[in-house]
Amino acid sequence: MTSVAPQEPEVPRLHRNLHILFAWSGIAVLVLFLIACIPLMHWIPTPVGPSDSGDKAKEFFSHDQISFRFGLVIMMLACPCFVTWGVAVAAQTRRIEHRVAPMLTYAQLASIPAVVMNVVLFIFLAGAASYRPEALSPEAMTWINDLLWIIFDFMVAPLSLWAICMGLAIILDQRPEPAYPRWVAWVNFWAGSLMLTGEFLLFFRGGPMAYNAVFGLYWPLTVFCVWMVVMSAMTARAVKRDWDGGRVPLRDDGLEPPLTSGLASVGIRD
Amino acid sequence: MATAANAPTHPRTAPHLPGETGVWVFIIGDMVAFAVMFGSYMYEQRGAPLSFLASQQALDVTVGTINTVLLLTGSLFVAYGVRAARAGTGRASVLFGLGFACGLGFVINKAVEFGGKFADGINPTTDTFFAYFFFMAGVHLLHVLGGMAVLAYLGRVARRPVLNGKEIRVVENGASYWHLVDVLWIVLFPLLYLVH
Amino acid sequence: MTTTTDRAVLGVWTLLITATVVSVALSDNAMSRTGTIAILSIAFAKVYLVGLYFMELRDAPRPLRYVVAAWCIATWAALTGIYVGVC
């Protein structure tokens, strides 16, 4: 920590630890999410599929309501963890882009509310469905079930954008000590492209691409989990390496020469 | 540095990773994704073999075979292209262009095949077989299009006969991705067209 | 700069084309168990050949070669097993 000014030794260390904690909160997202969806809500594996009857849907929402609603509360707790994880990763992207306009950082930051809003919408509707299911007909329950699954499965494009931007940022990291090893960029490209298998679920009410099947749900979920684990671990590692090597400046501005277009040699001045 | 057709250019003593680690992470990851698709398809087929067989009658095996030959030949050109790039013969760009042409042939052939199916009223929602057919072949087609873009880029990179280490690595990355596209079709073709 | 010659690459290509034709010949519009197992086996053998000679795994670090081989074996085993009815 040789670059720390002597009169403020503790603040940077606390900030470093917080950054690492935020990075690892991605694991918290996964754990909370899976605990909520599997044992509490019995939401995964899909209890009521596109070819199931309205009576089955109504029965699902009418039973185990306490456990279901508690699972929704747990999911709600996962949402701020997603924010903390997202900004931890985006902060590293910001450091990579510290000499240029940080548009990859902005793309990631802009994706966070899209994803959180999607989860929150799911929680609202699922909560309402289990709040008073006796007031709804089986047909209405079928529609709500379909709606919930479409919300749950369909919105992966912002996550893909996020992953692609992260991969690009890592590839473009020109610093002598890059934050992430290059293979992490390829994991991001892999995840970003292969999470999209579920985007065709609207066309199918059965088969492998429906919202309850392997390409609609299980494969994108697996890819998402792998991606979050890798990014959590590698972001924490990036923070540790930066700090422990004492390479972190307290401020970014004023430390690098201004970026020029390089055309001065042909007479064009910036 | 010209190479006699029979002689290795430089026998290697140390192992050499073609391209970089990350591209192989991507390749293996993609292979795992497709293995899941293959397994899922086979599982469904085992559950409804007669229905699948009936639907498979609508496929033209010759079209599929031509596609296989096109991709294998494309891979041959790309493999030669990488060797030419390393040897500095200056022919790498042309070879990548030939690989691109093979990919283009595949895409055109596939477009005609899909178009014919749609004209006959067959689409991904017709039955489970065709859901898998269009999905797996469609995702693979996207990979081929990506591969063609990669080969076009490699053709540009390899325009100069002698390439530095970083450019060779780029060439190897791109070529490895192309071979992945070939590998996936090598399994996909028999699964969709030949196995009943 | 590999231990494979240009001619070996061409030879492998010829072998792959031949294997393709053999696979097509083996298939007919019936559900033959041995035929299918043969076709699947040929397919994964082709994959491994492409890996060794086109993807240059012959000269690559051993772990990578083993990973690709493992994928071939595992996927072949899964598909054959599912087809035959084992899993």
Side-chain angles (χ1 to χ4, degrees):
Chain A
M1 298 273 279
T2 52
S3 63
V4 175
Q7 64 270 23
E8 42 178 354
E10 281 311 309
V11 173
R13 180 139 213 114
L14 282 176
H15 192 272
R16 164 200 185 270
N17 291 339
L18 204 59
H19 198 165
I20 294 174
L21 188 67
F22 275 24
W24 283 114
S25 67
I27 307 289
V29 170
L30 286 184
V31 168
L32 291 171
F33 189 73
L34 291 174
I35 287 177
C37 288
I38 303 177
L40 288 176
M41 291 165 63
H42 301 291
W43 190 244
I44 294 172
T46 313
V48 183
S51 48
D52 287 324
S53 67
D55 292 319
K56 193 166 176 194
K58 187 152 180 178
E59 196 201 313
F60 173 74
F61 286 105
S62 308
H63 288 158
D64 286 334
Q65 288 174 316
I66 307 281
S67 174
F68 189 85
R69 293 169 196 161
F70 193 62
L72 288 176
V73 172
I74 301 289
M75 270 187 88
M76 192 59 101
L77 293 178
C79 291
C81 290
F82 197 78
V83 175
T84 55
W85 174 81
V87 297
V89 176
Q92 283 301 316
T93 311
R94 178 68 182 85
R95 291 186 54 72
I96 293 171
E97 288 186 300
H98 72 287
R99 292 183 65 187
V100 297
M103 49 123 189
L104 295 173
T105 311
Y106 293 160
Q108 292 181 314
L109 289 175
S111 301
I112 297 177
V115 174
V116 171
M117 212 36 237
N118 191 64
V119 177
V120 164
L121 188 62
F122 172 83
I123 296 171
F124 289 167
L125 292 172
S130 80
Y131 193 67
R132 214 196 308 254
E134 62 274 11
L136 292 167
S137 67
E139 290 78 26
M141 272 293 165
T142 302
W143 191 83
I144 288 178
N145 184 64
D146 288 341
L147 179 63
L148 285 174
W149 275 107
I150 290 172
I151 293 173
F152 198 79
D153 285 351
F154 194 47
M155 198 216 64
V156 282
L159 286 169
S160 281
L161 173 71
W162 191 330
I164 305 285
C165 287
M166 194 64 215
L168 287 171
I170 296 171
I171 295 278
L172 294 172
D173 192 354
Q174 304 285 1
R175 296 176 298 169
E177 293 277 352
Y180 298 89
R182 270 177 79 100
W183 63 264
V184 178
W186 293 98
V187 171
N188 276 286
F189 292 140
W190 169 81
S193 45
L194 287 178
M195 266 195 278
L196 294 172
T197 59
E199 294 299 79
F200 301 103
L201 59 84
L202 288 180
F203 296 96
F204 298 92
R205 285 196 204 159
M209 282 178 275
Y211 62 61
N212 60 339
V214 58
F215 299 125
L217 173 64
Y218 298 106
W219 174 254
L221 188 61
T222 309
V223 173
F224 174 72
C225 290
V226 168
W227 176 64
M228 292 223 34
V229 169
V230 170
M231 288 312 297
S232 300
M234 300 312 292
T235 304
R237 176 183 170 277
V239 175
K240 273 187 228 171
R241 283 184 60 220
D242 261 348
W243 281 93
D244 294 341
R247 279 179 289 270
V248 175
L250 292 179
R251 288 189 321 263
D252 272 341
D253 45 288
L255 290 168
E256 306 274 348
L259 202 61
T260 65
S261 65
L263 295 173
S265 56
V266 294
I268 299 173
R269 264 182 273 180
D270 294 296
Chain B
M1 187 167 75
T3 51
N6 295 348
T9 48
H10 267 334
R12 270 187 190 277
T13 48
H16 167 73
L17 181 75
E20 57 180 275
T21 317
V23 86
W24 284 98
V25 168
F26 184 87
I27 287 172
I28 302 293
D30 220 8
M31 285 164 78
V32 168
F34 271 84
V36 170
M37 288 188 214
F38 297 153
S40 177
Y41 170 83
M42 191 57 106
Y43 185 74
E44 293 279 348
Q45 186 186 39
R46 211 244 329 222
L50 291 170
S51 157
F52 269 54
L53 177 63
S55 296
Q56 280 175 307
Q57 305 300 320
L59 295 182
D60 188 348
V61 175
T62 314
V63 166
T65 312
I66 293 174
N67 276 342
T68 311
V69 169
L70 280 171
L71 283 189
L72 285 174
T73 312
S75 273
L76 177 69
F77 287 134
V78 169
Y80 276 151
V82 173
R83 299 161 75 83
R86 283 203 206 105
T89 60
R91 284 202 293 260
S93 217
V94 170
L95 287 163
F96 292 136
L98 287 171
F100 182 94
C102 288
L104 185 62
F106 181 98
V107 170
I108 292 173
N109 205 9
K110 186 64 64 169
V112 168
E113 185 191 25
F114 276 14
K117 294 281 167 296
F118 294 145
D120 290 339
I122 298 172
N123 60 51
T125 59
T126 303
D127 63 17
T128 311
F129 169 76
F130 281 110
Y132 274 97
F133 174 80
F134 283 107
F135 181 66
M136 292 203 289
V139 172
H140 178 261
L141 183 64
L142 291 175
H143 279 71
V144 174
L145 289 168
M148 284 168 64
V150 165
L151 288 183
Y153 179 65
L154 292 191
R156 237 184 55 167
V157 166
R159 256 195 320 229
R160 292 184 299 110
V162 180
L163 305 176
N164 63 40
K166 193 169 155 209
E167 287 164 327
I168 296 282
R169 194 180 67 183
V170 166
V171 164
E172 287 176 342
N173 277 345
S176 298
Y177 176 75
W178 177 263
H179 295 307
L180 164 74
V181 171
D182 188 17
V183 157
L184 295 175
W185 182 255
I186 286 174
V187 182
L188 197 51
F189 166 62
L191 268 190
L192 288 176
Y193 291 78
L194 304 181
V195 165
H196 308 303
Chain C
M1 283 179 248
T2 69
T3 57
T4 316
T5 64
D6 281 0
R7 221 161 77 142
V9 170
L10 185 63
V12 167
W13 175 84
T14 315
L15 186 57
L16 290 169
I17 300 288
T18 312
T20 307
V21 171
V22 166
S23 292
V24 173
L26 276 174
S27 94
D28 53 22
N29 283 334
M31 295 179 286
S32 149
R33 189 180 261 213
T34 41
T36 299
I37 294 177
I39 291 171
L40 286 177
S41 309
I42 292 174
F44 285 98
K46 284 162 78 180
V47 168
Y48 196 57
L49 276 177
V50 169
L52 281 182
Y53 286 92
F54 288 175
M55 291 170 129
E56 301 181 341
L57 291 180
R58 279 183 86 213
D59 300 304
R62 283 294 170 93
L64 181 60
R65 215 166 120 175
Y66 295 153
V67 166
V68 173
W71 181 90
C72 288
I73 293 170
T75 315
W76 172 87
L79 292 182
T80 314
I82 294 174
Y83 180 78
V84 160
V86 165
C87 36

